[in-house]
Amino acid sequence: MKKLYLHTFGCKVNQYDSQVFMEALQQVGYALSKSMIEADLFLINSCTVTSEADRQCRQLIRKVLKDNKLARVIVAGCYPARCENEIRDISDRIEVLPQGMDIVMYLGHKTLKNTNIGITKFDGHSRAFVKVQDGCNAFCTYCIVPYIRSKIFSKPLDDVLSEIKKLVDSGYPEIVLTGVRLGLYEGGLVNLLKSIVYGVNGRFRIRLSSLGVNHIDNRLLEFMSSNKSIICPHLHIPLQSGSEHILKLMKRQYSAKDFESVAETIYKYLPDASISTDVIAGFPGENEKDFKDTFEFVEKLELSRLHVFRYSKRPGTRAAGFEKQLSPVTIKERVVELKKLDACLQERFWRKFIGKCRPAVDEAGNNCVLTDNYIRLYFDKSNGFKENNKIFGVKVIDLRGEAWGIANSTEMQKLTARI
């Protein structure tokens, strides 16, 4: 039996696509290997959102070429879609999987018969990601994604439901709906959620991945509020900057005031909600005032988490040609300040729930559990704790200045009951 080593860079969409690759290859006789040295096929699913993602991909390619002289090396994903030659120039051993092409067909196998719709498991995870949408046509000035994932696609509803049913039946307690722009799901996100809530049996919960500001309205929040036991009170809404000036340069389709208004509305419907966001530090032309506006804006909204990205100049985007590109030193300093703010935001958020009980799921591979409102709690599992693939209760406690949890399944029965 041939051995496959699969490495994934990037977002939840990529992680889902890698699971599709893996299951397809297993059906034609490949076994998953934990050793790159023993692999017959080395498949990299790449990301190209930042120059650092590109660098890490090239570094891994060189490592496998050195350590495994016989493996077939294939690179898939966004990096080759952006610049195939950069990858091919590394070595003539490198093969590139065309964007959107089935890996099984690329390898010369006959088309699989009775192929399962979507994925049937999510290897190495206790929560399963399900891609329901792909593609973006927003063309923000800094972003390369619309140039390589421009085709807007929504997975048919019946296929989504079939996939989720299989995952829930397999014991996954949480399904994370994901997409490049999840809010563009054809037929509407609320209708999708209704179909899942009323059409899939079992004890599970749904979490939404990243959503644009303009895709969050009262109808969505009303449905989330009415189904708190099934839909997690957690929304990740990319901000990128709190400066109106920089948002205009980025060609974002909202203002800071719009973002603030949406956040306030979320808290009205979902008082315990976690709102996390993304911020780019060092966008071209970002002066001290712009940075201060961003810092103070994020701080006053009392967000729960801040993902900080340093601006990465992407050839082919409009921002790459902007004047006033900031120095790496300045960008690094601002990243450091924003990461300090993130640490404060996270602690401030979880401290609000000390002594309170929240539904949680186990996170595979570490001593953590994840609450519905995205508090990651440390947990001592050495005492025989076994709650895998279930939703259970934890009480948030403060231990040594860190968020810890105490299991309390009995107290959670009424909180996790289906409505």
Side-chain angles (χ1 to χ4, degrees), residues 98 119 137 167 173 190 216 218 228 232 327 369 377:
I119 62 174
N137 57 6
L167 291 166
V190 174
I216 299 172
N218 288 359
K228 294 177 184 177
C232 294
S327 71
V369 299
L377 298 172

Side-chain angles (χ1 to χ4, degrees), residues 160-171:
V160 174
L161 295 178
S162 174
E163 188 170 12
I164 292 176
K165 286 175 182 177
K166 291 173 184 175
L167 291 166
V168 171
D169 288 344
S170 296

Side-chain angles (χ1 to χ4, degrees), residues 44-58:
I44 299 174
N45 195 6
S46 66
C47 172
T48 194
V49 169
T50 66
S51 58
E52 177 62 15
D54 290 346
R55 186 195 68 77
Q56 290 179 4
C57 183
R58 292 192 300 268

Side-chain angles (χ1 to χ4, degrees), residues 80-99:
R82 181 187 69 80
C83 191
E84 183 175 327
N85 289 338
E86 282 185 16
I87 294 173
R88 290 193 182 277
D89 287 346
I90 297 173
S91 169
D92 57 10
R93 282 181 58 194
I94 304 299
E95 301 176 50
V96 170
L97 180 69
Q99 187 85 341

Side-chain angles (χ1 to χ4, degrees), residues 155-209:
K155 185 177 292 183
L157 178 59
D158 288 346
D159 292 354
V160 174
L161 295 178
S162 174
E163 188 170 12
I164 292 176
K165 286 175 182 177
K166 291 173 184 175
L167 291 166
V168 171
D169 288 344
S170 296
Y172 287 93
E174 180 174 308
I175 307 297
V176 184
L177 300 182
T178 188
V180 176
R181 294 191 72 193
L182 182 59
L184 292 182
Y185 183 80
E186 186 176 359
L189 186 56
V190 174
N191 291 335
L192 172 62
L193 289 172
K194 285 184 177 179
S195 298
I196 296 170
V197 169
Y198 301 133
V200 180
N201 295 321
R203 192 165 177 230
F204 71 101
R205 69 189 191 190
I206 292 290
R207 189 182 300 276
L208 301 176
S209 64

